[in-house]
């Protein structure tokens, strides 16, 4: 009977039991699943770790070693396989078991996803093959050898080994190559198919062309080749496969081509397409895939770094909090100075690559102030956001673009700024959905930003007080400066990257990154010079400049800096001016960092040792003695002596032993103490500007600046330093100076009229701080801003110094009173400048000096009376300046650095650092500034000086420092000059007809394919003309150059011919200046006509737009010129006469070199022969010479290079040849062409050798010069031996040069001019030792040089093999420096052509030879050429000095076995000659 209640209860009970059972089973299952998941996670972590990868890699490596041993042993035992239960049998199964466990672990860790990993699939396949070979195939009865061969594929596991090692830096390249190979499979397959198709087609062609050719079949040599390789498609296809790898193919194609030359086209095409083209495609594909692998590895490394840094954050916070002594939330440099790095987690240090806490400080220096780290409290939020991108030495953050309300960069910047959330936004770029903000422009964000934007927590954690101050400081800075002022303006052809920075100490820096640079350089300018010399220690600034090179605390060796630069193919120098002292150096790019480290110590802790102080005074005095005969220094000091005695312009800036040693001693002044006081006062960072130019990125160069110059002393808070304040209020000249003229006596036979107009600047800033073009200055005054911004001297000088038909210069030349007139500015300081008008007078002009002055002031009065300066003149100057700027090429690194630091002292904003005054500026104040300058060009504001030897008897005063005699005379005509009118015929210049119309480039600009790439010129040759042409595709300059040489013996056939040639050249130049040459020169076009031993040399160059027309006009004018004008002849003959007489005033070192030249260059004409010939030459003789000259050439040579098409170059040269009537040239063999030849100095193994003794001709000269040289070889021979000799001598010179300077100049103080150098005059190379000074007699100086040479071997021995190799490498790198400008590149190529060398790769050849030089080679070179007993010791000594120093010299040396030469020209003719260069192929 059915009971419903019981049934219901039973049902409920059943449900409860089932439910409880399910819950119990479910919880057990859940726990099981959870346990499995935990286990799986641990396995996954283990499998994905680098340690697991490394372990697997080591197992694979061990397996491969075992396989190799097994294979070798099986051969040795002569058995196919090892017996069971031997060690190889166990090893194979053990490794297979390990691999199987690895497969299982990877399946557990990755699940089904593991099957998508190509590496896993490869491993799985290899394991399956292994089990099949060891277990299943033997069971199936497969032979053991077949199974063994199947196991060969185990070697593929080595790829896994490479993959594991990819995480180690040293193996990353291997991994990238393997990855590229593996992922390029499709490309390789496609290429293989293409190669097979190409080979099949070529096989068909080969069968037709070769296999069926009866001539080839019947020939005894080619017949077997054809039958073997080309009688059938199969044979032909197999043969052509050899061409893919070029495997012994020459034996196949060479006999065929010799019999059938047209087959060269077939084989050449096959090699180019298949062997080169298609195989390189495979290489490119592998490389592309390898680069992709590098990107992926970098991303993986970044993620690993981020995880490591995140883990370290809690501990870092605790450390920072313990260091933060004042609990301000901001760490300062002082707080971390004494903190050791060992408190930082080791793993964190290894990740960020810092070795000290200070480095970590700089690494996280948010503000880049180098003073505080900023709030350390923001670190948790930054790292938690995952937005910080850390790399070694990188300072940047990545912020999601959804942080901004606008997805554009502009929207980001403006939106955040308007809400007040951003203290400053600069240096931002959009990339892959992220905005990058540099740490040094760190964003301070408000709490208004939501958590979703991942940055809300930052401002909540920031120390409000500290960051508020920083933000306010930045807002004020940003509000003051237009960002455009910080962008450096540069010429279009300048591809350098400029970055201006200001260090914390106030030093302004410009870093210039030139990734293509071959050389590096740096310059530092201190804005203080001899104007701040104490009156009682004149020359102190110059002395300080010298002393800074003589050791620092870190580098106490006085020669340390120079030695380092020499080892890195560099050099250094410095100069002192009125308001600036500039130090600079250049070196290899690799040596820049260490050079900067040494250079920086100059300005932090120089030694200024007492011994060096005393010695360097002698060097200063030697430099002064060197300058005493120079009229440039003498007349400059005469001008200075007329200045206001209270103004430093009046002082003696160079200094000498009297001012620095004798006067200080008599006054009880400690020179060293005064030097230290001067240095500490003025060598401060805010007065300095620094430029660093290298091939590294700007940020790296900026770090160098901070690292090596950041500790240069700055100014204390509130301290001001203005060196010019000491003299700014003093007038430059007192009124009396303008009322008197001076007539001064020069050393050389010069005649000059100089008029100096001082232009004082109105009180105000001493640096151009104008953000935009300034207005005109008040009439009658001038400001620094207007002077430098508008360069009014350029505009006034272009009219006052013009040489065209209505110019002052042309008028004075026509009257025969002057030969030259120049206008320019000088002594451009922060408080004044001077405008100088200088005229070179004829003898007749000297007697009319007052009339000349009247004409000058009349013309100036006319210009000043113009109501408005003509706009067309301003426009023309601006147009020419713009064209020059557009075509301005890069300067060499050292020249650039020196110019830039000077510009930085003159211009406040980085915008103007490069431009400076290199490009004229327009603006509303231009006309007014020109007018303001004209107000200073008045007769009553002129300092007038006339220079001539004619005043010698009348000189009644002596300038104290140089001994220049002069007299003063009252300028009684000054009132008349103030109101005189312009002479009839004077006016404004006509428009320039040569202004460039187009700057279009004829060929696309392209970077050279390699550093040593050389473009070979095209050439066309006939019997009487060799024409070369090279288009410019590297420099991209709208200019071209045409070099032309007409070989003829006539110009140097006799002294008389040489004199006629010189007068003819200068007469033509003077005559054509007015009508042609001056306008062309102003418009950037040049024409030179000169003569030499080789013949006639013509040069045309400049903007190619007008070059052809100008060349035609200039050459036509030259050929039509009539040199019979008596006045023109007298002027140029007089000029040549004075030039020859000025030889007596040349420095002793120059005269010594002159006598050496007479004794070694065959048929050189002496100045005495020229003087004798000049006395007899007439205008008719010059005319007769000119007529004969153009009929005498035997051949013409030309090179056209630059922005020209081939047709344009051909047309230019064709017109030149028509004008010269080259068809009438008389062709002669190259051996008869006139070529300079060098005599061989006789070999003299012992003794003084060949000696020249000549008296200096200036009786006032105190210095003597000793030039000792050793000839070694000829660059003209073209032999490998001479190339080797040249390289060895270069390295030997490099080893000796610095030590020679240090020993004889620095330690022994024998003179200011001391050097050891390599000379290559006219193709013969020699090593030269030169000393000029007045300390010892010349024979004693020679003894000191010989003592140095005797000890030179010890200097070589002291160098290690590695050091010699480094010197050789540095010299090689210097030889490989590419020309910076088109003109330099053209000159190099022209040198190869005119010398008949045609060695287009000369510098590369020399560099390779240098790299091969070893220490033993240098020692052998020294023994061969310099050491007594040397087999090739060709020694020549040239002495030149005062008579009293040479009285017994010749006799003394003859007693020691010297060959004293009294007739150097005859000596040269009697000696054998170094070989002339053989003619080689033009290519």
């Amino acid at each position: 009977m059915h009971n419903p209640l019981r049934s219901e209860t039973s049902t409920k009970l059943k449900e409860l039991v089932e439910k409880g059972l399910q819950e119990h089973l479910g919880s057990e299952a859940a726990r099981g699943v959870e346990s499995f998941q935990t286990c799986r996670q641990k396995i996954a972590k283990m499998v994905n770790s680098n340690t697991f990868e490394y372990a697997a890699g080591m197992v694979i490596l061990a397996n491969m070693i075992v396989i190799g041993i097994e294979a070798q042993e099986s051969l040795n035992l002569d058995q196919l396989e090892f017996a069971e239960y031997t060690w190889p049998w166990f090893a194979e199964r053990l490794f297979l078991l390990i691999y199987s466990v690895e497969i299982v672990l990877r399946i557990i860790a990755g699940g089904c996803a593991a099957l998508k990993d190509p590496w896993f699939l490869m491993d799985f396949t290899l394991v399956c093959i292994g089990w099949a070979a060891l277990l299943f195939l033997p069971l199936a009865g497969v032979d053991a050898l077949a199974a063994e061969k199947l196991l060969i594929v185990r070697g593929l596991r080595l790829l896994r080994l490479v993959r594991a090692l990819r995480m180690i830096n040293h193996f990353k390249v291997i991994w990238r190559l393997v990855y590229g190979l593996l992922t390029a499979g499709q490309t390789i397959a496609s290429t293989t198919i293409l190669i097979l198709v190409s080979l099949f087609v070529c096989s068909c062609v080969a069968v037709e062309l070769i296999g069926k050719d009866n001539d080839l079949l019947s020939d005894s040599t080619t017949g077997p080749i054809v039958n073997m390789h080309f009688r059938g498609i199969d044979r032909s296809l197999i043969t052509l496969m050899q061409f893919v790898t070029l495997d012994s193919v020459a034996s196949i194609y060479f006999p065929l081509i010799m019999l059938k030359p047209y087959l060269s086209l077939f084989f050449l095409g096959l090699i180019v397409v298949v062997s080169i083209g298609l195989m390189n495609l495979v290489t490119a594909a592998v490389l592309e895939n390898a680069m992709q692998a590098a990107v992926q590895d970098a991303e993986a490394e970044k993620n690993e770094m981020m995880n490591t840094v995140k883990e370290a954050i809690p501990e870092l916070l605790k450390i920072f909090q313990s260091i933060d002594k004042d609990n301000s939330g901001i760490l300062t440099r002082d707080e971390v100075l004494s903190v050791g790095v060992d408190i930082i987690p080791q793993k964190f240090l290894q990740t960020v690559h810092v070795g000290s806490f200070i480095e970590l400080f700089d690494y996280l220096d948010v503000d880049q102030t180098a003073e505080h780290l900023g709030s350390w409290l923001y670190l948790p939020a930054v790292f938690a956001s995952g937005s910080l991108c850390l790399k070694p030495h990188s300072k940047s953050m990545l912020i999601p673009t959804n942080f901004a309300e606008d997805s554009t960069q502009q929207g980001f910047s403006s939106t955040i700024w308007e809400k007040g959330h951003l203290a400053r936004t600069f240096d931002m770029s959009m990339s892959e959905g992220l905005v990058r903000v540099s740490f040094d422009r760190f964003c301070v964000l408000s709490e208004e930003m939501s958590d979703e934007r991942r940055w809300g927590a930052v401002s909540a954690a920031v120390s409000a007080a500290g960051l508020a101050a920083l933000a306010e400081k930045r807002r004020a800075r940003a509000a003051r400066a237009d960002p455009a002022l910080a962008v450096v303006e540069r010429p279009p052809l300048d591809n350098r990257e400029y970055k201006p920075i200001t260090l914390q100490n106030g030093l302004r820096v410009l870093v210039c990154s030139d990734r293509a640079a071959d050389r590096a350089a740096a310059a530092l300018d201190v804005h203080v010079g001899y104007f701040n010399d104490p009156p009682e220690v004149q020359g102190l600034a110059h002395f300080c400049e010298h002393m800074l090179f003589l050791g620092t605390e870190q580098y106490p060796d006085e020669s340390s800096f120079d030695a380092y630069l020499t080892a890195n193919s560099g050099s250094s120098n410095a100069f002192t001016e009125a308001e600036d002292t500039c130090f600079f150096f250049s070196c290899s790019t690799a040596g820049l960092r260490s050079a900067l480290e040494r250079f920086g110590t100059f300005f932090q802790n120089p030694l200024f040792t007492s011994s060096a102080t005393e010695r360097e005074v002698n060097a200063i005095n030697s430099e002064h003695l060197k300058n005493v005969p120079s009229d440039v220094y003498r007349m400059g000091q005469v001008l200075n002596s007329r200045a206001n005695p209270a103004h430093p312009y009046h002082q003696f800036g160079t200094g000498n032993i009297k001012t620095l040693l004798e006067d200080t001693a008599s006054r009880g002044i400690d020179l060293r103490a005064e030097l230290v006081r001067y240095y500490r006062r003025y060598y401060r960072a805010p007065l300095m500007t620094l430029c660093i130019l290298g091939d590294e990125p700007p940020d790296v160069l900026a770090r160098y600046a901070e690292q090596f110059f950041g500790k240069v002393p700055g100014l204390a808070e509130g301290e001001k330093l203005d060196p010019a304040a000491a003299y700014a209020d003093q007038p430059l000249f007192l009124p009396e100076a303008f009322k008197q003229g001076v007539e001064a006596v020069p050393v050389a036979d010069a005649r000059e009229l100089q008029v100096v107009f001082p232009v004082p600047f109105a009180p105000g800033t001493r640096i151009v701080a104008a953000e935009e073009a300034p207005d005109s200055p008040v009439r009658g005054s001038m400001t620094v801003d207007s002077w430098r911004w508008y360069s009014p001297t350029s505009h006034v000088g272009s009219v006052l110094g013009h040489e065209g038909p209505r110019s002052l210069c042309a008028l004075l030349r026509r009257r025969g009173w002057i030969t030259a007139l120049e206008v320019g500015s000088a002594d451009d300081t922060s408080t004044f400048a001077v405008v100088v008008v200088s005229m070179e007078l004829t003898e007749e002009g000297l007697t009319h000096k007052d009339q000349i002055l009247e004409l000058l002031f009349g013309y100036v009065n006319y210009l000043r009376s113009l109501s408005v300066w003509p706009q067309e003149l301003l426009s023309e100057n601006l147009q020419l300046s713009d064209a020059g700027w557009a075509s301005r090429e890069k300067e060499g690194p050292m020249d650039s650095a020196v110019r830039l630091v000077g510009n930085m002292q003159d211009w406040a904003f980085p915008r103007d650092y490069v431009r400076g005054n290199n490009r004229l500026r327009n603006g509303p104040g231009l006309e007014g500034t020109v007018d303001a300058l004209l107000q200073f060009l008045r007769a009553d504001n002129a300092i007038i000086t006339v220079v001539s030897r004619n005043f010698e008897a009348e000189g009644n005063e002596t300038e104290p420092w140089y001994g220049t005699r002069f007299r003063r005379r009252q300028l009684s005509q000054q009132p008349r000059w103030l109101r005189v009118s312009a002479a009839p015929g004077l006016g404004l210049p006509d428009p320039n007809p040569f202004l460039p119309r187009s700057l279009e480039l004829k060929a696309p600009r392209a970077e050279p394919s390699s550093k040593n790439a050389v473009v070979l010129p095209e050439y066309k040759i006939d019997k009487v003309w060799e024409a070369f042409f090279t288009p410019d595709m590297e420099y991209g300059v709208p200019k071209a150059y045409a070099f032309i040489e007409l070989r003829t013996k006539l110009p140097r056939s006799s002294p008389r011919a040489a004199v006629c040639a010189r007068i003819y050249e200068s007469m033509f130049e003077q005559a054509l200046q007015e009508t042609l040459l001056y306008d062309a020169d102003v418009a950037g076009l040049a024409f030179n006509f000169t003569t030499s031993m080789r013949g006639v040399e013509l040069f045309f160059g400049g903007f190619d737009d007008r070059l052809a027309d100008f060349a035609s006009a200039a050459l036509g004018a030259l050929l039509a010129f009539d040199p019979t004008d008596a006045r023109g002849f007298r002027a140029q003959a007089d000029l040549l006469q004075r030039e020859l007489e000025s030889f007596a005033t040349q420095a002793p070192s120059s005269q010594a070199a002159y006598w050496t030249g007479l004794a070694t260059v065959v048929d050189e004409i002496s100045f005495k022969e020229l003087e004798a010939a000049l006395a007899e030459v007439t205008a008719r003789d010059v005319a007769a010479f000119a007529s004969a000259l153009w009929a005498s050439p035997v051949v013409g040579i030309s090179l056209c290079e630059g922005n020209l098409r081939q047709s344009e170059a051909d047309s230019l040269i064709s017109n030149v040849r028509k004008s010269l009537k080259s068809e009438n040239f008389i062709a002669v063999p190259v051996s008869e062409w006139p070529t300079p030849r060098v005599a061989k100095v006789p070999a003299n193994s012992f003794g003084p050798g060949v000696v020249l003794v000549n008296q200096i001709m200036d009786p006032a000269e105190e210095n003597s010069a000793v030039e000792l040289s050793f000839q070694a070889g000829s660059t003209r021979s073209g032999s490998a031996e001479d190339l080797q000799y040249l390289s060895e001598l270069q390295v030997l010179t490099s080893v000796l040069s610095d030590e020679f300077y240090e020993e004889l100049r620095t330690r022994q103080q024998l003179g200011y001019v001391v050097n050891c150098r390599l000379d290559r005059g006219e193709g013969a190379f020699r090593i030269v030792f030169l000393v000029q000074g007045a300390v010892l007699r010349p024979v004693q100086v020679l003894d000191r040089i010989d003592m140095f040479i005797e000890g030179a071997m010890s200097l070589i021995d002291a160098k290690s093999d590695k050091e010699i190799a480094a010197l050789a490498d540095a010299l090689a790198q210097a030889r490989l420096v590419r020309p910076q400008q088109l003109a330099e590149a053209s000159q190099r190529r022209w040198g190869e052509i005119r010398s008949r060398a045609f060695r287009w790769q000369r510098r590369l050849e020399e560099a390779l030879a240098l790299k091969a030089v070893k220490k033993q080679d240098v020692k052998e070179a020294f023994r061969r050429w310099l050491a007594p007993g040397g087999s090739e010791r060709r020694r020549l000594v040239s002495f030149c000095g005062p008579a009293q120093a040479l009285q017994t010299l010749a006799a003394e040396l003859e007693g020691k076995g010297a060959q004293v030469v009294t007739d150097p020209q005859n000596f040269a003719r009697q000696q054998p000659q170094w070989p002339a260069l053989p003619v080689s192929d033009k290519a």
Side-chain angles (χ1 to χ4, degrees), residues 1288 1291 1361 1364-1365 1368 1410-1419:
E1288 293 170 356
V1291 178
D1361 292 339
I1364 294 292
L1410 280 165
K1411 285 178 174 289
V1413 174
K1414 308 299 181 188
K1415 179 177 178 177
Q1416 188 59 36
D1417 299 329
V1418 178
K1419 296 175 72 171

Side-chain angles (χ1 to χ4, degrees), residues 1270-1285:
F1270 298 85
Q1271 282 187 341
S1274 171
T1275 58
R1276 291 183 174 178
S1277 68
S1279 70
E1281 183 181 53
D1282 270 336
L1283 180 60
Q1284 178 187 344
Y1285 285 172

Side-chain angles (χ1 to χ4, degrees), residues 333 352-354 358-365 368 370 391-396 438-440 499-505 507 509-513 515 592-594 596-597 600 604 690-711:
R333 181 176 285 271
V352 298
H353 303 287
V354 295
I358 286 296
E359 287 188 44
L360 179 62
F361 180 96
D362 295 332
Y363 184 87
L364 296 175
D365 182 7
Q368 290 217 335
K391 294 180 181 178
H393 305 294
S394 171
K395 294 184 179 180
S396 60
S438 173
F439 261 166
D440 59 355
K499 180 179 180 179
I501 59 174
T502 300
L503 304 185
Q504 181 66 23
N505 56 7
L507 194 155
V509 182
L510 181 66
V511 297
C512 315
S513 175
R515 307 314 290 271
L592 176 62
R593 185 187 183 281
S594 292
L596 287 171
E597 181 177 5
Q604 297 171 52
L690 170 67
C691 177
I692 301 174
L693 194 154
D695 66 346
E696 295 171 288
D699 289 342
V700 174
L701 298 176
R703 282 203 299 273
Y704 293 164
E706 171 63 39
Q707 184 176 358
F708 302 127
F709 299 87
K711 294 181 181 179

Side-chain angles (χ1 to χ4, degrees), residues 953-973:
E954 303 167 2
N956 53 17
E957 292 186 55
T958 301
E959 190 279 315
W961 302 115
Y962 292 89
T964 306
R965 299 183 63 213
F966 66 94
R967 74 167 183 174
R968 304 177 197 265
R969 70 182 182 100
Q970 292 299 122
L971 300 176
S972 57
Q973 299 187 57

